[in-house]
Amino acid sequence: MAIEGFHTQTSSVTDQPGRSNITDTARTTSGRVVGVLKIVKESLDGVPVPGLKGAIGGLVGILEAINKLMDNDDDLIRLIDHVLRLIEILANPAGTEINLTDAQLQKRIEVLTTDIKTITSEAKKLQDQNLVYKFAGHSDNASAVAGLGKAIDRAIDRFQVAGSISVERKVDRLEEGTSDIARDIGLVGATLEAVKDQMVQMTLKSLNDGDPVLNAMPRVESARYNSTSQTTSSFCLANTRVALLQEIYKWVDDPNARPLFWLSGMAGTGKTTIARTVAKELDGKGLLGASFFFSRDEENRRTTARLFPTIAYQLAHSRPSYRNSIISAVKGDVCTTMMRTQVEKLLIEPLKTGTRETKSPPIILILDALDECTNEHQITEMIFLLSTALQDLQKHVDLKVMVTGRPETHIQGQFKKPGMDIVSSISHLHEIDKSIVREDIILYLDYHLEEIRKEMLPSDIAWPERGDVDALADMADGLFIFASVSVAYIRRHPVERMKILQAGTNHKKAPYAFKNLDTLYKQVLTSLETTVSEDDDPIE
């Protein structure tokens, strides 16, 4: 079971300033996990699952023994991760509810308990050998501890044999159906599931809470892709933008790809929606390091003044192994210095503490809507500094940056400067075949207009007509913003406003892509002046 925020890099920790502080955090986390497991162990008295209490007790023994040896927080965190995976298996061994009183499954738990006892014994042997003073620098000892995690995984594999547990569950459901068994299933499942959730929350809380230096950093919380200020922003609808998203995810996964990806597109082509979709996907996979969405509508989001402090703050939480280096830089009041110094102290120096490994997961930064920054010089300087930093860090970490923006002259000019082709790749949204974009827009319109029909119209009314949807897609002419505004305009009075929109916008006579959008905006503004009733909101 992977825990968000635990994607650490082993080689970076031993060279990192203040490493002992992180180790203390890991030990504290392990101690809290042990405490919770002890409580759970005692709460299992009377539950008819032979061996389950012994299994939990064995996990306590493993962590207590190793916690006294650890001088490397990465190894301890990984061991906690293995233990949490085992807890997840015990909480729900087949992925669904299961009868834990089944004889064959009880035998599996007994075998698992025996395996855990063996692993606990090995852990205590390490403790008895008194390796605490030489553990961190001795590779053989480190391998021995890593072997404990592998042993836990082998025990899990033996427990989950080729889906046979699922078969046992189905047979058991046919043979058993008493309320007592159902109650026992609920007791065991709910108890262990609660423990799993509580351990994850406590682990993250131990890493993220209470640091006054980080908490005092000048940052822009609303610039994060999932901030509360962006709750009305959308993500790509399923089965839309498929080819483009695949191209981006392929870039993310390719260790040899150029580290800077510029998604360029004219106004209304959906750049921000794509950026938010990618950010959400990568965040779910633990690959998102930080995000910053520029906006002219907010003072702190239309400038780069707090860009790198915001990125550093998010990195300190998403990548704990760099946390202390970032804190040290912040203590030097770097957040008020020039951008070049911020990049050096908050990004390059912390990330240089590691050595890039072949299988190390990438760290992705997403910066959206560069053209929304009102200071052109700031943006061109930022692009230059980022490209320089990416080249400087290539040997240390797989850092990639995705930026989006309109092809404004100053942005486009910066990407065309000599040497930029080494670090950057460009994808132009407005150059994608319009027939592909049209199909995506039709999917978007179909989905949202059907939602409007269900919400606003009687069930026996067939609306909209196929021809109306196709006409709207033609009017959009590749601009997702047209489809979005049309849906918002139509929502309150679907039938009437669909007719008004069809009559007021003639896509066949539009001499350029934005004429229909101009006409749509005029129609919306007219509706604001001639509302159907005093309490009518034309667009919500």
Side-chain angles (χ1 to χ4, degrees):
M1 174 183 174
I3 304 175
E4 182 183 354
F6 278 176
H7 299 279
T8 51
Q9 299 185 18
T10 306
S11 58
S12 68
V13 177
T14 55
D15 298 328
Q16 181 178 328
R19 172 172 49 84
S20 60
N21 292 335
I22 303 178
T23 305
D24 290 342
T25 301
R27 282 176 172 160
T28 299
T29 298
S30 177
R32 291 180 179 179
V33 172
V34 168
V36 174
L37 286 173
K38 286 181 176 178
I39 293 172
V40 173
K41 178 184 173 185
E42 297 307 316
S43 71
L44 292 176
D45 285 332
V47 175
V49 187
L52 183 57
K53 187 173 181 179
I56 298 296
L59 298 181
V60 173
I62 293 172
L63 285 179
E64 284 186 329
I66 294 302
N67 200 34
K68 297 177 182 179
L69 296 174
M70 302 305 286
D71 192 40
N72 187 318
D73 59 292
D74 278 347
D75 292 309
L76 181 53
I77 285 172
R78 287 193 181 93
L79 193 61
I80 292 172
D81 197 46
H82 288 295
V83 171
L84 287 177
R85 182 181 173 218
L86 186 50
I87 281 289
E88 184 173 34
I89 298 303
L90 288 172
N92 204 349
T96 55
E97 289 185 357
I98 188 166
N99 188 349
L100 292 174
T101 62
D102 177 80
Q104 294 183 27
L105 190 56
Q106 286 185 9
K107 180 63 177 177
R108 291 182 185 277
I109 293 178
E110 290 172 5
V111 172
L112 180 63
T113 303
T114 300
D115 288 341
I116 293 175
K117 287 179 180 178
T118 301
I119 298 167
T120 304
S121 177
E122 292 300 315
K124 289 181 177 178
K125 284 181 183 178
L126 289 178
Q127 180 182 354
D128 293 340
Q129 291 170 11
N130 194 23
L131 300 176
V132 65
Y133 295 108
K134 55 183 179 179
F135 171 76
H138 198 297
S139 59
D140 292 340
N141 294 333
S143 298
V145 176
L148 295 177
K150 293 179 180 178
I152 292 176
D153 284 344
R154 286 195 296 270
I156 291 172
D157 291 338
R158 278 194 290 271
F159 187 68
Q160 290 184 312
V161 178
S164 60
I165 294 177
S166 178
V167 175
E168 293 166 13
R169 176 182 62 81
K170 293 176 181 178
V171 173
D172 181 74
R173 280 187 171 179
L174 293 174
E175 297 176 348
E176 303 289 347
T178 68
S179 58
D180 288 343
I181 292 176
R183 184 191 65 243
D184 294 336
I185 293 172
L187 174 61
V188 175
T191 300
L192 291 176
E193 191 66 31
V195 171
K196 181 180 67 176
D197 291 342
Q198 188 175 359
M199 285 193 293
V200 171
Q201 293 303 317
M202 286 195 310
T203 302
L204 294 176
K205 192 173 188 300
S206 296
L207 290 169
N208 293 337
D209 278 0
D211 192 295
V213 176
L214 285 180
N215 291 338
M217 285 183 69
R219 59 190 184 276
V220 189
E221 290 288 356
S222 60
R224 194 190 299 259
Y225 88 92
N226 57 352
S227 73
T228 55
S229 67
Q230 298 194 49
T231 53
T232 58
S233 300
S234 60
F235 297 95
C236 291
L237 198 63
N239 299 317
T240 64
R241 303 294 199 182
V242 174
L244 177 60
L245 290 174
Q246 287 178 346
E247 177 187 353
I248 295 171
Y249 297 141
K250 182 180 179 181
W251 165 77
V252 168
D253 293 334
D254 183 359
N256 299 315
R258 296 171 183 174
L260 185 58
F261 187 101
W262 180 31
L263 181 64
S264 170
M266 304 296 291
T269 50
K271 300 178 296 298
T272 295
T273 299
I274 293 167
R276 293 185 77 249
T277 301
V278 172
K280 181 181 179 181
E281 175 73 12
L282 298 184
D283 198 9
K285 293 181 177 180
L287 301 179
L288 182 67
S291 61
F292 194 102
F293 281 55
F294 287 93
S295 174
R296 294 176 186 270
D297 297 334
E298 292 184 34
E299 181 178 355
N300 288 327
R301 290 172 61 192
R302 56 174 176 256
T303 174
T304 62
R306 296 187 177 183
L307 169 62
F308 288 102
T310 300
I311 289 174
Y313 176 83
Q314 293 181 35
L315 276 174
H317 290 78
S318 65
R319 298 295 185 276
S321 58
Y322 302 122
R323 182 186 182 94
N324 276 23
S325 294
I326 292 172
I327 290 175
S328 297
V330 175
K331 286 180 179 178
D333 201 25
V334 70
C335 294
T336 59
T337 60
M338 64 180 64
M339 195 190 311
R340 180 183 297 273
T341 304
Q342 290 183 7
V343 172
E344 182 68 31
K345 298 296 183 182
L346 295 175
L347 190 64
I348 296 177
E349 289 186 5
L351 296 185
K352 265 191 172 181
T353 57
T355 301
R356 183 168 176 173
E357 299 175 3
T358 304
K359 296 183 179 180
S360 297
I363 301 174
I364 311 299
L365 308 182
I366 296 181
L367 311 181
D368 176 66
L370 302 191
D371 54 280
E372 292 284 306
C373 178
T374 55
N375 188 316
E376 295 184 3
H377 173 72
Q378 285 183 349
I379 284 298
T380 55
E381 182 185 13
M382 184 272 290
I383 295 172
F384 170 76
L385 292 174
L386 265 182
S387 64
T388 302
L390 288 169
Q391 294 182 71
D392 201 8
L393 288 167
Q394 281 188 336
K395 293 182 180 179
H396 301 276
V397 62
D398 185 7
L399 178 69
K400 291 188 173 80
V401 182
M402 174 182 169
V403 299
T404 76
R406 301 179 190 179
E408 304 286 359
T409 303
H410 63 288
I411 298 175
Q412 199 161 234
Q414 188 65 36
F415 276 102
K416 289 183 177 180
K417 285 189 174 180
M420 283 296 295
D421 58 333
I422 298 175
V423 295
S424 64
S425 58
I426 303 174
S427 179
H428 296 291
L429 274 175
H430 48 277
E431 293 180 357
I432 296 176
D433 189 325
K434 283 190 176 181
S435 64
I436 296 175
V437 180
R438 183 181 186 277
E439 291 303 312
D440 286 346
I441 289 176
I442 287 177
L443 285 173
Y444 177 91
L445 290 170
D446 282 341
Y447 175 84
H448 288 286
L449 293 178
E450 174 62 14
E451 291 296 304
I452 291 173
R453 187 193 68 77
K454 291 178 180 178
E455 178 185 348
M456 303 298 296
L457 298 176
S459 59
D460 59 342
I461 292 183
W463 180 92
E465 295 182 7
R466 185 73 257 165
D468 290 342
V469 177
D470 290 341
L472 284 180
D474 289 338
M475 296 174 200
D477 198 25
L479 298 178
F480 262 87
I481 188 65
F482 182 96
S484 177
V485 174
S486 295
V487 167
Y489 172 69
I490 290 169
R491 180 173 297 278
R492 287 297 297 273
H493 303 284
V495 177
E496 296 88 341
R497 288 191 171 170
M498 178 67 84
K499 292 178 180 177
I500 293 172
L501 196 55
Q502 297 286 343
T505 311
N506 187 347
H507 66 284
K508 294 181 180 179
K509 296 181 181 179
Y512 62 96
F514 292 98
K515 180 174 181 179
N516 286 325
L517 189 59
D518 292 343
T519 305
L520 175 59
Y521 285 151
K522 290 177 182 178
Q523 183 61 58
V524 170
L525 292 173
T526 301
S527 296
L528 291 173
E529 297 176 358
T530 57
T531 53
V532 176
S533 64
E534 291 183 358
D535 61 349
D536 178 38
D537 269 331
I539 295 184
E540 294 186 325

